[in-house]
Amino acid sequence: MDWRVVYMGGVFISLFLFVMLISKRQKSTADKILSTWLFFAVIHQALIGWYASNKMSDMPALIGWELPFPFLHGPFLYLYILFLTGQQRQGWRSILHFVPAVLVAIILAPVLGSMSVPEKLGAIAPVRFEALFQWMVRGIIVSGVVYVVLSLVLLRRHKQNVAVQFSNTDKITLNWLRYLIGGMGVIWVVVIFFESAQSLYVVVALFIFFIGYFGIRQVGIFSNPPPAHEVYLPAVVQAPEAEVVADVADVADKKVKYEKTGLTEAEASRIHTALTTLMRTQECYKDSELTLGDLAKTLEIHPAILSQVINSKEEKSFYDYINTLRVEAFKQLLLKPDSQQYTLLSLAFECGFNSKTSFNRNFKKITQLSPSSYVKEMNISVQTGE
């Protein structure tokens, strides 16, 4: 097999994804970061294809300029996840992540300018700069490992935020982020443990194919997402600003439990009662895409306050609270005679679950039984198929 086809395929896929992103309407900051990343990926892949085609001697001035690019991929991965998951604080600091790549480029400018063509082509060992290039390779490895670890930390925080704000997680970007981080991790494993340049080129090209395939399948990455529900940055949900406290009546009698928001026990009870009434009368939990922000908007309170009330009064996260209501609704629905003609999954969808996996996982977590085992134990006649 001619692996040059794979390398050049990576170039065209990167270019295709880049064009898809820049043509996307209403681009977020995360979209702009990803499109910039893909732009540099196109250049990097082109250099790889150029090397693989043994065309270095045609333009020797470009030899060596592939070294700064690996210092870009880690920061782009980290910043993309940071902004996609809403965990950014001060945007101007983001530029500091690219300092190593810029420093490498500045150092390389005089070094590559002083090297002869035979040295660049490897016909003569570049003894003068051998130590420098070795340190750069070590720096590339350190950069890759550090940013993969940092990205995993962001993913972990995002998972916690998802439980705070979302009632269903199957369609959240967790899998997309796992694919990105996992793919980058594989690349750095190849860099560290395999000395073959061909192996690295192949795995980079395959990674581009990989993110292209899953990125196009993931709603909202390369296309415009459907109308969004109310979602807030993690910092907003976890720590409301001081002026938000003024939205809550009578905050003079503060309790330690609610000292972050200045919420009194009486006011927390009132909000909890209003929430319970809302759930009973409007059955909001049946909306499979329900978010904490949706409920907060309906109740006309700050999402951080609502989250705190749910945590303290229900002793659950928003995610567990809503899915507990869905499980209870499902159990009640099972008792109706008309339900016998439907499958367990169709009844689960009626109660707000959006996938079989989510339904089975949450039902077993709450009841300690699988749905089919529960039906058998309760001696309920219902279709158990999908």
Side-chain angles (χ1 to χ4, degrees):
M1 178 179 179
D2 189 348
W3 290 106
R4 288 176 295 183
V5 176
V6 178
Y7 308 149
M8 297 311 297
V11 175
F12 288 113
I13 292 296
S14 299
L15 184 60
F16 172 69
L17 297 177
F18 171 71
V19 171
M20 284 187 67
L21 264 177
I22 61 174
S23 61
K24 178 180 176 181
R25 301 190 308 274
Q26 300 177 339
K27 289 185 285 293
S28 65
T29 303
D31 292 329
K32 294 174 184 177
I33 292 171
L34 183 57
S35 59
T36 307
W37 184 10
L38 286 171
F39 173 76
F40 284 105
V42 169
I43 300 175
H44 196 190
Q45 286 284 98
L47 286 173
I48 288 175
W50 178 58
Y51 274 104
S53 302
N54 295 317
K55 301 293 184 181
M56 294 92 74
S57 57
D58 295 345
M59 298 184 68
L62 293 179
I63 297 176
W65 282 107
E66 75 283 356
L67 284 172
F69 287 93
F71 288 97
L72 295 175
H73 298 313
F76 273 124
L77 171 69
Y78 175 78
L79 292 177
Y80 174 66
I81 296 175
L82 186 74
F83 280 83
L84 184 65
T85 58
Q87 299 182 59
Q88 74 276 10
R89 293 295 184 272
Q90 293 175 302
W92 65 268
R93 292 183 179 178
S94 301
I95 198 171
L96 299 178
H97 292 277
F98 299 104
V99 169
V102 174
L103 286 177
V104 168
I106 293 173
I107 293 171
L108 281 176
V111 169
L112 295 177
S114 66
M115 291 176 66
S116 64
V117 174
E119 280 182 310
K120 290 182 178 181
L121 293 174
I124 303 175
V127 178
R128 293 177 296 163
F129 307 110
E130 185 174 355
L132 175 63
F133 289 128
Q134 287 179 349
W135 276 106
M136 285 187 177
V137 171
R138 293 190 186 103
I140 289 172
I141 293 173
V142 171
S143 173
V145 172
V146 166
Y147 277 103
V148 166
V149 171
L150 290 176
S151 298
L152 286 171
V153 171
L154 288 181
L155 180 60
R156 182 173 176 271
R157 290 177 182 169
H158 182 50
K159 289 171 66 177
Q160 295 171 343
N161 179 52
V162 162
V164 171
Q165 292 205 65
F166 296 87
S167 62
N168 265 318
T169 61
D170 290 356
K171 293 183 179 179
I172 309 299
T173 54
L174 291 179
N175 283 340
W176 165 244
L177 298 182
R178 289 190 188 104
Y179 297 148
L180 280 180
I181 298 171
M184 287 294 289
V186 169
I187 289 176
W188 294 115
V189 167
V190 172
V191 170
I192 295 170
F193 296 104
F194 296 87
E195 295 184 359
S196 169
Q198 179 174 302
S199 299
L200 177 60
Y201 297 163
V202 169
V203 77
V204 170
L206 292 178
F207 175 61
I208 296 297
F209 287 120
F210 184 78
I211 66 171
Y213 174 74
F214 285 105
I216 290 173
R217 289 185 62 190
Q218 177 74 50
V219 176
I221 301 300
F222 293 100
S223 60
N224 290 291
H229 285 244
E230 294 289 330
V231 180
Y232 295 84
L233 298 183
V236 174
V237 176
Q238 294 164 7
E241 300 296 334
E243 57 268 22
V244 173
V245 177
D247 293 338
V248 183
D250 188 18
V251 297
D253 182 23
K254 297 182 180 180
K255 302 292 183 181
V256 174
K257 186 191 300 182
Y258 306 114
E259 63 181 356
K260 273 189 176 181
T261 56
L263 186 66
T264 66
E265 181 70 38
E267 187 64 18
S269 297
R270 185 196 66 78
I271 292 171
H272 182 248
T273 299
L275 173 64
T276 304
T277 302
L278 179 68
M279 287 298 176
R280 185 179 64 253
T281 57
Q282 297 189 23
E283 300 180 326
C284 303
Y285 53 82
K286 289 187 175 181
D287 178 359
S288 63
E289 304 300 326
L290 183 70
T291 67
L292 177 74
D294 293 335
L295 284 183
K297 186 176 182 180
T298 302
L299 293 170
E300 298 182 339
I301 59 174
H302 193 274
I305 292 174
L306 178 58
S307 177
Q308 196 171 5
V309 168
I310 293 173
N311 293 160
S312 61
K313 295 296 184 180
E314 296 289 339
E315 298 184 347
K316 296 181 179 74
S317 67
F318 170 74
Y319 175 85
D320 288 335
Y321 169 64
I322 296 299
N323 282 291
T324 298
L325 292 175
R326 288 170 177 163
V327 168
E328 292 304 317
F330 172 82
K331 289 159 68 174
Q332 293 299 316
L333 199 56
L334 278 177
L335 300 176
K336 295 183 178 180
D338 293 345
S339 298
Q340 296 181 11
Q341 60 184 310
Y342 300 107
T343 64
L344 293 179
L345 191 56
S346 62
L347 295 177
F349 286 163
E350 177 68 22
C351 296
F353 292 103
N354 66 354
S355 75
K356 181 180 179 180
T357 302
S358 175
F359 169 53
N360 288 336
R361 181 178 62 246
N362 283 287
F363 192 91
K364 190 166 187 178
K365 177 181 178 182
I366 293 166
T367 67
Q368 310 305 313
L369 292 170
S370 67
S372 56
S373 297
Y374 177 82
V375 167
K376 179 183 284 189
E377 186 172 289
M378 298 297 293
N379 196 26
I380 299 174
S381 176
V382 66
Q383 296 184 49
T384 56
E386 296 185 22

